[in-house]
Amino acid sequence: MNRESLNTKKYDVRAARALWRAFAFALLAAALALAAAFAPACRQAAPAHSSYTPNTTFPEQFYGYAAGKKVYITSIGQSVELIQLTLTMTALGMSDYTEDNLLEASEVEEGAVVFVVVGSSLKSLTENGLTRESEAERAKAFIARAERGDFGLVCWHIGGVARRGSTSDSLIELLFGNCDLALFRAESNYDLKLSDWAIAAGVPYCQFGSGMTDTIKQLFGGADV
């Protein structure tokens, strides 16, 4: 290769590199401009929930709501956290209840109270041959009977962040919008959606801390249950 050809090749490489740098710079500038254009819209779309503090006072009208009534406990979504509720109740001396994760609304006696712990566990759903859709239908059957006044329906979410997500949330929204009383841990309501759903439906609710003892006692009429 002669000197002239070599110089020409070097020039071509440098020119190509310069062209590529210019193209990369233009692409980066366009990306930054696009991001800047959309940033305000994204910020505006972000939900702002600083306008209210969730209710943490147990609704007075539900004090003693479950006292002297037959109590059924089940889970919609097969939440394993149901055991936290039953263990706390047993520790308080309330062992007279019927627990059945597959309980059907048709099996509940009139005049009873049903505690539904809602929150989806994919593993438990699969093991029991259930789906979100089948659990939603079971929930609707409880709601229908409760609306007729056959029994009381108290819905709980006690699984915290671990029992939130698209599948759980669809079941929570359904039940929290159609029960007599919604009860949930503060951790579960980290985005205020649980209180939002109850408020939108006009359902009384109470947000409690990590422990359920006081909430359970109030449902059964106080300390001496």
Side-chain angles (χ1 to χ4, degrees):
M1 182 179 294
N2 58 38
R3 183 182 299 274
E4 183 178 352
S5 297
L6 184 60
N7 289 338
T8 301
K9 185 175 181 180
K10 288 180 179 179
Y11 174 80
D12 290 342
V13 171
R14 287 171 182 160
R17 286 176 178 172
L19 183 62
W20 170 249
R21 282 196 297 269
F23 173 74
F25 179 80
L27 190 63
L28 178 60
L32 291 173
L34 188 63
F38 278 97
C42 292
R43 286 196 294 271
Q44 291 171 6
H49 283 296
S50 59
S51 58
Y52 79 94
T53 300
N55 174 54
T56 56
T57 302
F58 188 86
E60 185 179 354
Q61 67 269 35
F62 287 93
Y63 184 84
Y65 186 68
K69 297 179 181 178
K70 185 172 179 61
V71 176
Y72 294 81
I73 303 176
T74 192
S75 172
I76 295 294
Q78 302 302 300
S79 171
V80 294
E81 275 73 26
L82 177 145
I83 195 171
Q84 296 181 32
L85 176 59
T86 57
L87 285 175
T88 305
M89 288 178 61
T90 300
L92 290 170
M94 306 172 200
S95 56
D96 188 17
Y97 56 79
T98 298
E99 176 193 348
D100 183 355
N101 258 6
L102 302 177
L103 181 72
E104 297 290 344
S106 59
E107 299 174 311
V108 179
E109 295 179 11
E110 290 194 12
V113 174
V114 180
F115 290 172
V116 172
V117 179
V118 58
S120 180
S121 166
L122 181 59
K123 181 175 183 291
S124 296
L125 285 172
T126 303
E127 287 176 350
N128 288 289
L130 303 172
T131 63
R132 187 205 67 82
E133 291 73 21
S134 66
E135 286 291 82
E137 290 304 311
R138 194 162 67 93
K140 290 174 184 177
F142 280 106
I143 291 168
R145 283 202 64 191
E147 287 179 343
R148 291 199 301 266
D150 292 348
F151 52 70
L153 186 60
V154 177
C155 294
W156 301 73
H157 192 278
I158 55 181
V161 179
R163 290 293 171 260
R164 292 290 308 277
S166 58
T167 300
S168 290
D169 282 2
S170 62
L171 296 172
I172 299 166
E173 184 175 8
L174 171 64
L175 284 160
F176 275 28
N178 295 280
C179 62
D180 297 316
L181 175 64
L183 302 169
F184 46 86
R185 289 175 56 193
E187 183 187 346
S188 299
N189 194 36
Y190 63 91
D191 55 0
L192 298 187
K193 283 187 176 181
L194 275 62
S195 48
D196 279 352
W197 291 329
I199 291 169
V203 171
Y205 76 91
C206 180
Q207 175 177 294
F208 54 89
S210 58
M212 295 177 282
T213 300
D214 289 342
T215 303
I216 293 171
K217 283 182 176 181
Q218 291 174 96
L219 273 169
F220 285 89
D224 299 325
V225 293

